[in-house]
Amino acid sequence: MPRKFDESRKLQKRAEQMMPGGVSSPARAFRAVGCDPPFIVRGHGSHVWDADGNDYIDYIGSWGPLILGHAPPVVIEALGVALRNGTSFGASTPAEADLAEVVLSAFPHMQKVRFVSSGTEATMSAIRLARAYTKRKYIVKFEGCYHGHADALLVKAGSGVATLGIPGSAGVPEEFTQFTLALPFNDTNAIEQSFNKFSNQIACVIVEPVVGNMGCVPPARGYLEALRTITKHDKAVLIFDEVMTGFRLAFGGAQELYKIQPDLTTLGKIIGGGLPVGAYGGPSEIMDLVAPLGPMYQAGTLSGNPLAMAAGYAQLRYLRDHDEIYAKLDKLSEELVTGVAAAAEEAELSLTHNRVGSMFTWFFTPEPVTSWDSAAKSDTKAFARFFRAMLENGIYLPPSQFEAAFLSAAHSGKDIQQTITAAKQAFVLAHA
Ligand code: HOZ
């Protein structure tokens, strides 16, 4: 029996009357996959349910935060306790220092951290701080990387910008991006050339050390080391945007996995346990420029919100005390990603699969995907057919070729086998 989506369609129509595209964030509108989005009403463990009662195995996980799955008891209990005391005070609370302590323990280069309310705020503030510290104007970012929607960063960006084919964004005057240099990811020559041309003028290089926003793209061997060497040599700040990778690829994020220390790190997603949070941090020498200690201004009414702090602290403490989770995530993700790739091969479809830990993407292209140019060669129409067939089979994937999927500690071997079986059927349809 085909699934019914009547309730979700009704809800979508209602939302469209009042909200652009019916959504609060463009990627959720499912525009790139040619179907209406299911309206999610409940999540538990590895599953979500929509308004029509359809059940899905979820590989979005709220786009990364839910590393323990939906509604993990440890987070729900901590939230219950915090909630009874109130929702927001706009004042300091003990919970901020609790979360700060565990974040600092995971990132050895960080001596201080500032909490904000989203990843966008974290990256925007880290760049302002890098400029304040170096007294330079230029910034380097990479094509297909996405660091939120601040004006200067919406240049050749990934995520929804890439999905919807919007090259930059309307409403951003070119003067606002004149100091943004967008270079190809994984290309050491390009970065060397830029530093030669703009020597002593580049404030920072910001990078997703493992990219999640053009689909999952790992760094080439030696690439992060090269970024570290070049930035150090030119006294530019190296910013690792670990909003996705922090506490996901390892407790200490991509920088622990690849053993590279950046100057500043931005965080979000997992550190909020599913509530809105971001953070940026680094050595005191840089962080002490942030107001009220220094002249770099950044503020927020809901920054350090006690509910977000409590949820994040509960989730991070659980991860710290259950380090074995990372090996389990790695093993199950490998089983899933290679199982689906083998099903594609059986169906004589050439896919490329990229995976680092529990972040992964099946690209509908036979060629290796190492940069935006190679990701963009994917057959997005075939991806959309695959996506719709998977959804019909009860598998909820990111609705874009250019977004990473995530596995959680709540996923089971049974979920993985069910997903591989669904993929076998979907590949037959994706062929059509
Ligand atoms: N920027 C997010 C994915 N990379 C999408 C967030 C959302 O639409 O919820």
Side-chain angles (χ1 to χ4, degrees), residues 25 27-28 63 146 159 213 244 403:
S25 186
R28 301 174 195 176
W63 303 88
Y146 178 76
S159 190
N213 283 297
M244 264 190 199
E403 297 281 5

Side-chain angles (χ1 to χ4, degrees), residues 99-339:
L99 186 60
E101 213 164 70
V102 64
V103 167
L104 297 187
S105 77
F107 294 92
H109 80 100
M110 264 197 213
Q111 291 169 321
K112 290 200 177 140
V113 63
R114 165 63 62 86
F115 292 114
V116 291
S117 296
S118 69
T120 292
E121 277 186 71
T123 54
M124 187 179 82
S125 310
I127 282 171
R128 185 179 302 149
L129 180 56
R131 281 175 162 152
Y133 178 70
T134 57
K135 300 189 173 59
R136 298 174 180 178
K137 290 182 182 166
Y138 282 92
I139 63 171
V140 170
K141 75 170 289 282
F142 299 97
E143 296 166 3
C145 285
Y146 178 76
H147 308 286
H149 57 87
D151 285 346
L153 292 167
L154 284 179
V155 181
K156 298 192 175 165
S159 190
V161 181
T163 302
L164 298 170
I166 300 171
S169 169
V172 178
E174 64 188 23
E175 290 83 352
F176 286 28
T177 56
Q178 65 181 309
F179 297 115
T180 303
L181 308 170
L183 307 181
F185 183 67
N186 271 335
D187 182 341
T188 308
N189 284 337
I191 187 106
E192 278 170 355
Q193 279 168 14
S194 284
F195 270 92
N196 284 338
K197 187 163 169 203
F198 295 97
S199 166
N200 294 317
Q201 295 176 72
I202 296 174
C204 64
V205 171
I206 183 164
V207 65
E208 294 178 75
V210 171
V211 188
N213 283 297
M214 52 175 140
C216 176
V217 180
R221 190 184 292 266
Y223 183 63
L224 297 176
E225 287 83 345
L227 294 185
R228 182 63 286 183
T229 308
I230 292 164
T231 46
K232 204 165 241 169
H233 184 256
D234 198 67
K235 297 191 169 52
V237 172
L238 178 62
I239 306 173
F240 272 11
D241 178 353
E242 297 234 37
V243 168
M244 264 190 199
T245 52
F247 296 97
R248 171 155 294 274
L249 302 185
F251 192 67
Q255 52 198 271
E256 178 185 318
L257 193 67
Y258 294 97
K259 301 185 175 56
I260 309 281
Q261 284 206 358
D263 301 302
L264 291 175
T265 298
T266 58
L267 295 165
K269 299 196 190 273
I270 289 177
I271 66 161
L275 274 81
V277 147
Y280 60 101
S284 302
E285 186 194 344
I286 305 180
M287 290 302 290
D288 286 352
L289 290 176
V290 179
L293 286 188
M296 194 293 276
Y297 197 75
Q298 176 273 310
T301 298
L302 291 171
S303 295
N305 173 269
L307 300 183
M309 298 294 105
Y313 181 53
Q315 179 153 273
L316 295 195
R317 229 180 24 182
Y318 189 89
L319 287 170
R320 188 189 57 198
D321 297 345
H322 297 81
D323 204 37
E324 71 283 357
I325 278 178
Y326 291 102
K328 182 197 159 190
L329 286 172
D330 192 51
K331 184 174 166 286
L332 272 188
S333 303
E334 167 74 3
E335 212 175 300
L336 171 66
V337 171
T338 55

